[in-house]
Amino acid sequence: MIAEEQLCNLTDISYKEAGIYENTRFEKIHNVVYDDSDNASAIVAREIGDLIRSKQARNETCVLGLATGSSPIKVYEELIRLHKEEGLSFKNVVTFNLDEYYPMTKQNAQSYYYFMHEYLFNHIDIPEKNINIPKGDLDPDDILDFCVNYEKKIKSFGGLDFQLLGIGRTGHIGFNEPGSHYNSRTRLITLDHLTRSDASTAFLGLENVPKKAITMGIRTVMDAKRVVLLAWGQNKAEIVKEAVEGEISSKVPATYLQEHHNTTFVMDSGAASELTRIKTPWLVGPCEWTSELTRKSVVWLCNHTGKSILRLTDKDYNDNGMESLLTLEGSSYDLNIKMFNVLQHTITGWPGGKPDSDDTKRPERSNPAKKRVIIFSPHPDDDVISMGGTFDRLVEQGHEVHIAYQTSGNIAVSNHEAMKFAEVAAALDPEDQLYKKIIHHIRNNEEFNIDAPEVRQLKGLIRQKESLGATRYVGIPDSQAHFLNLPFYETGAIKKRPLSDDDVAIMCDVIREIKPHQIYAAGDLADPHGTHKVCLDALFKALEILKHEDFMKDCWVWLYRGAWHEWDMHEIEMAVPMSPDQVLRKRRAIFFHQSQKDGVMFQGDDSREFWVRAEERNKETASRYHKLGLADYAAIEAFKRYFY
Ligand code: F6R
């Protein structure tokens, strides 16, 4: 339950207007959920901006506690926009950052000092002297004094007016890892293995991640007048649920916020997806039984009871908060058969539609029998990783399949991989200056630094040729493999440019040229650097532009997942089964992407190689169908239709 004064203290009514605001007997922290993080971040930035302005009007200093990591990036972008376009000044702002790795130099691109300047401070008018970030380069003997003074300094400004937080998968806030005491203050702390492993992508390997950090304490955060915690994406969902619904415990330090009088968790739908009111709303109170919710609840009930659909009884429904659904549907017998059929009809071995057949109960149209298809692949291997089996079937069933690789994927090729190719080329033509130059660049550049243009070109070509290996294996001519090299990606660094009109124009051109009946695209938004999301945004923008053109009336869009996570059972609208042989063919197609095998540079938080992830996910989807009482397939690739 939220205390009355907590509601009164919420400074921005828009949280209640724009977000879904509800409290349930399960929830102990006020929280709001938005469809996506862009909108949510803009609202948080507005709250910060309003606070700064109101303090300015009273001639007061505004004391902000700031976080780093991926969560606050869009809030900072919006603050910069407010500064540049709406005249928001930061002259009266003093900031205290939550934490810094230890040991860490300011110049290191992984330091939080560097991060804050890159993402915020360099673009606003905050005086440098007003910026406070824990120091990562202190002599060990000076750490204690530094920490005590950090606390004193916060106090000298009257405490934090606003504290922005992210949440780690260990439940840490700041770097207060499990075990942190309620009364802890700024101090040196040892990082958890999970925290280090989550950071290992940015550091290009676990061994490079510092083992310690200096962090504000729990008590420092709890003393803030207002706390907003940001959580985006499905991989935060479990820990968010524990923080909001669990008991207060040092095992999940974010649960301490349950005792803070003015905290809001701001989340996107992915991060909120495990909250009881969202995952199983029928357990919380009356709900509107849409077809999607009905499907979700029946799938959940099967998992919960360990039964297949056709074995569910009236008692099962009644015991689990679903009696109103039974009242609507008649009886468990009718409902079970209906839901069994709904799921059965998602399964098809004809992803491009089955020619000359009644398609009223099939996921795809039978006409035209031979379709033109574009598979958009954000990186050069997502096509085969995520839908290699379906790709293979589409080709085998005679459709004209084009693959459009959206980005070059060049930053994911390691120096030693690139060196192999450069040395082979140089050995074939020892006089060639270009190869010599490339070898020189690779030898003299650290893995972290931006590559010379020639090296990037080589790395991009390696990925391009690997893709061609795979597409030839599946059986499409090279002319049907399109390498779009979208410009937003080409920074040579992990941080990309925002999507531009040029990117969207390239997408529009390829769609106009092919005039597809089907588009497949990655709806897999959990990749560590957000490239999939940008690539999907590029498609959505292109569809907005093209949707009134004649050929688009015949074009259906299917979203796939696979490299990073999978659709939930209730979301799947087309399920393409694979035989054991087809699973092997898919594996071989993925193997063409050799630069992404055996310890890839950007692994994310899943230590499995991509082909293993794909196989295990596809096997898992098949077994879920089987457990619900449907046929027992070796593997299934899953898709959800997108309506534009
Ligand atoms: C960062 C910090 C951490 C992060 C948390 C989530 O200053 O203190 O608590 O907020 O690890 O990180 P992201 O946002 O990268 O998921």
Side-chain angles (χ1 to χ4, degrees):
M1 263 309 228
I2 300 165
E4 199 55 39
E5 82 270 17
Q6 183 177 348
L7 286 178
C8 300
N9 272 336
L10 292 174
T11 48
D12 193 339
I13 191 74
S14 59
Y15 284 121
K16 279 180 268 171
E17 282 167 359
I20 304 164
Y21 175 72
E22 271 176 67
N23 61 333
T24 75
R25 68 194 159 95
F26 295 95
E27 295 182 4
K28 297 159 187 151
I29 296 183
H30 174 248
N31 63 83
V32 287
V33 185
Y34 294 84
D35 284 346
D36 71 79
S37 56
D38 292 7
N39 196 5
S41 299
I43 289 176
V44 174
R46 199 170 80 209
E47 179 178 340
I48 299 174
D50 289 349
L51 179 67
I52 296 173
R53 284 202 173 100
S54 70
K55 290 263 178 181
Q56 253 155 23
R58 297 197 299 270
N59 245 335
E60 288 173 10
T61 302
C62 181
V63 189
L64 299 180
L66 297 179
T68 52
S70 59
S71 308
I73 289 178
K74 287 189 199 134
V75 173
Y76 296 152
E77 278 172 12
E78 178 63 10
L79 285 174
I80 294 168
R81 195 196 65 76
L82 289 175
H83 169 65
K84 294 201 164 140
E85 293 175 19
E86 297 184 19
L88 175 68
S89 168
F90 291 77
K91 290 239 162 83
N92 68 323
V93 173
V94 171
T95 62
F96 288 90
N97 260 82
L98 278 166
D99 40 23
E100 178 61 280
Y101 290 110
Y102 185 85
M104 178 60 70
T105 61
K106 285 181 179 172
Q107 299 74 27
N108 189 316
Q110 299 311 322
S111 75
Y112 286 167
Y113 179 92
Y114 188 97
F115 175 102
M116 286 310 299
H117 285 77
E118 168 102 356
Y119 283 97
L120 184 64
F121 298 145
N122 288 347
H123 314 281
I124 57 177
D125 62 346
I126 186 167
E128 187 66 33
K129 67 174 177 31
N130 291 6
I131 297 171
N132 299 281
I133 303 174
K135 288 190 175 152
D137 53 0
L138 293 166
D139 191 280
D141 293 340
D142 296 335
I143 294 177
L144 188 59
D145 274 356
F146 175 86
C147 293
V148 171
N149 288 331
Y150 204 68
E151 289 285 334
K152 278 192 186 151
K153 196 163 180 190
I154 295 174
K155 241 189 210 136
S156 74
F157 283 100
L160 300 165
D161 293 309
F162 183 105
Q163 176 64 58
L164 192 62
L165 294 177
I167 182 169
R169 289 194 309 142
T170 57
H172 70 216
I173 47 175
F175 273 140
N176 292 284
E177 296 287 19
S180 293
H181 195 272
Y182 184 85
N183 283 325
S184 54
R185 294 277 178 189
T186 303
R187 68 205 184 286
L188 185 69
I189 192 163
T190 302
L191 297 173
D192 256 45
H193 178 77
L194 180 59
T195 300
R196 293 185 64 239
S197 115
D198 281 351
S200 63
T201 300
F203 281 89
L204 299 184
L206 188 63
E207 62 282 11
N208 304 320
V209 184
K211 294 197 170 61
K212 292 181 185 283
I214 295 178
T215 181
M216 278 187 196
I218 295 289
R219 196 55 185 269
T220 330
V221 172
M222 294 295 285
D223 282 349
K225 297 179 188 85
R226 166 83 170 134
V227 174
V228 171
L229 183 145
L230 311 171
W232 319 131
Q234 227 150 7
N235 61 350
K236 296 285 172 73
E238 292 284 348
I239 198 68
V240 160
K241 179 191 161 78
E242 283 188 54
V244 174
E245 298 187 8
E247 295 304 317
I248 297 176
S249 155
S250 69
K251 289 187 189 139
V252 181
T255 56
Y256 288 129
L257 293 169
Q258 292 177 15
E259 297 209 321
H260 188 271
H261 64 286
N262 192 12
T263 288
T264 298
F265 276 27
V266 177
M267 295 175 272
D268 64 1
S269 46
S273 59
E274 287 293 322
L275 292 180
T276 307
R277 77 175 149 97
I278 289 172
K279 191 172 183 190
T280 50
W282 51 90
L283 296 179
V284 174
C287 42
E288 195 193 327
W289 289 107
T290 59
S291 55
E292 190 177 341
L293 191 65
T294 306
R295 206 170 133 178
K296 184 174 176 179
S297 67
V298 173
V299 169
W300 174 85
L301 190 59
C302 288
N303 286 335
H304 185 68
T305 56
K307 292 182 176 181
S308 62
I309 298 180
L310 296 175
R311 285 173 181 267
L312 294 172
T313 62
D314 282 9
K315 184 171 184 315
D316 293 326
Y317 285 98
N318 287 331
D319 284 353
N320 288 287
M322 292 158 72
E323 52 280 0
S324 60
L325 180 61
L326 274 194
T327 314
L328 270 181
E329 298 288 340
S331 68
S332 57
Y333 179 82
D334 295 330
L335 178 55
N336 291 351
I337 291 185
K338 180 171 152 187
M339 292 320 295
F340 181 88
N341 286 333
V342 166
L343 283 163
Q344 177 66 42
H345 294 150
T346 60
I347 303 175
T348 181
W350 298 84
K354 187 170 185 186
D356 305 320
S357 69
D358 173 9
D359 58 9
T360 47
K361 300 226 160 50
R362 292 180 173 277
E364 249 298 349
R365 306 145 291 169
S366 34
N367 285 316
K370 300 286 176 231
K371 294 188 172 62
R372 282 184 304 277
V373 177
I374 304 182
I375 299 174
F376 282 106
S377 180
H379 297 102
D381 52 358
D382 290 305
D383 53 342
V384 282
I385 290 172
S386 303
M387 54 170 291
T390 306
F391 175 15
D392 201 25
R393 272 192 187 242
L394 287 165
V395 174
E396 189 195 316
Q397 291 167 358
H399 301 287
E400 182 185 315
V401 182
H402 295 254
I403 311 281
Y405 296 102
Q406 290 171 279
T407 69
S408 69
N410 56 11
I411 64 161
V413 178
S414 66
N415 280 346
H416 68 258
E417 187 70 16
M419 187 63 112
K420 240 172 32 188
F421 289 87
E423 284 182 341
V424 170
L428 289 172
D429 188 356
E431 298 312 311
D432 188 285
Q433 292 309 309
L434 176 64
Y435 304 141
K436 280 193 188 142
K437 195 171 166 193
I438 288 178
I439 290 172
H440 174 81
H441 278 311
I442 297 177
R443 257 194 211 126
N444 293 295
N445 200 8
E446 296 281 335
E447 202 75 88
F448 281 117
N449 295 341
I450 293 183
D451 286 322
E454 298 83 352
V455 177
R456 273 192 260 162
Q457 193 191 4
L458 171 68
K459 290 184 172 181
L461 280 170
I462 291 171
R463 297 214 64 182
Q464 190 165 324
K465 302 305 172 200
E466 288 173 343
S467 301
L468 285 175
T471 51
R472 286 172 195 160
Y473 175 73
V474 179
I476 64 167
D478 290 359
S479 57
Q480 286 168 215
H482 309 260
F483 296 94
L484 307 186
N485 291 327
L486 293 183
F488 85 86
Y489 184 88
E490 296 304 317
T491 58
I494 291 177
K495 191 175 172 208
K496 307 295 187 300
R497 275 188 284 274
L499 199 63
S500 73
D501 291 348
D502 292 346
D503 298 295
V504 180
I506 294 171
M507 293 288 291
C508 287
D509 285 350
V510 71
I511 298 172
R512 259 197 211 104
E513 183 193 325
I514 295 164
K515 300 192 175 32
H517 303 100
Q518 278 192 327
I519 287 177
Y520 290 87
D524 189 341
L525 305 181
D527 75 312
H529 309 136
T531 297
H532 284 218
K533 166 120 176 51
V534 183
C535 286
L536 190 60
D537 285 346
L539 173 65
F540 289 168
K541 288 198 168 146
L543 293 175
E544 259 320 289
I545 294 171
L546 297 173
K547 70 180 179 196
H548 299 298
E549 299 207 17
D550 245 16
F551 71 91
M552 289 302 284
K553 295 197 179 74
D554 273 340
C555 179
W556 287 21
V557 177
W558 291 99
L559 300 181
Y560 61 79
R561 286 184 172 175
W564 308 99
H565 63 158
E566 191 48 275
W567 297 109
D568 279 338
M569 284 301 289
H570 69 277
E571 296 173 308
I572 298 173
E573 287 168 308
M574 179 160 74
V576 182
M578 291 150 75
S579 68
D581 281 352
Q582 286 165 329
V583 172
L584 278 183
R585 273 184 65 73
K586 171 169 173 168
R587 186 189 299 177
R588 283 192 204 109
I590 299 174
F591 279 179
F592 280 93
H593 296 276
Q594 284 207 327
S595 68
Q596 303 306 299
K597 264 195 100 294
D598 303 328
V600 297
M601 289 181 66
F602 300 115
Q603 185 82 38
D605 53 39
D606 187 335
S607 61
R608 296 171 297 176
E609 283 199 31
F610 287 112
W611 69 272
V612 184
R613 296 181 199 191
E615 272 183 26
E616 289 182 356
R617 290 212 171 100
N618 295 162
K619 218 192 276 176
E620 174 64 20
T621 307
S623 116
R624 286 190 184 153
Y625 266 88
H626 185 48
K627 281 188 190 138
L628 294 175
L630 292 121
D632 184 13
Y633 294 103
I636 285 181
E637 286 175 346
F639 303 87
K640 183 174 166 59
R641 194 163 161 209
Y642 173 73
F643 293 89
Y644 55 92

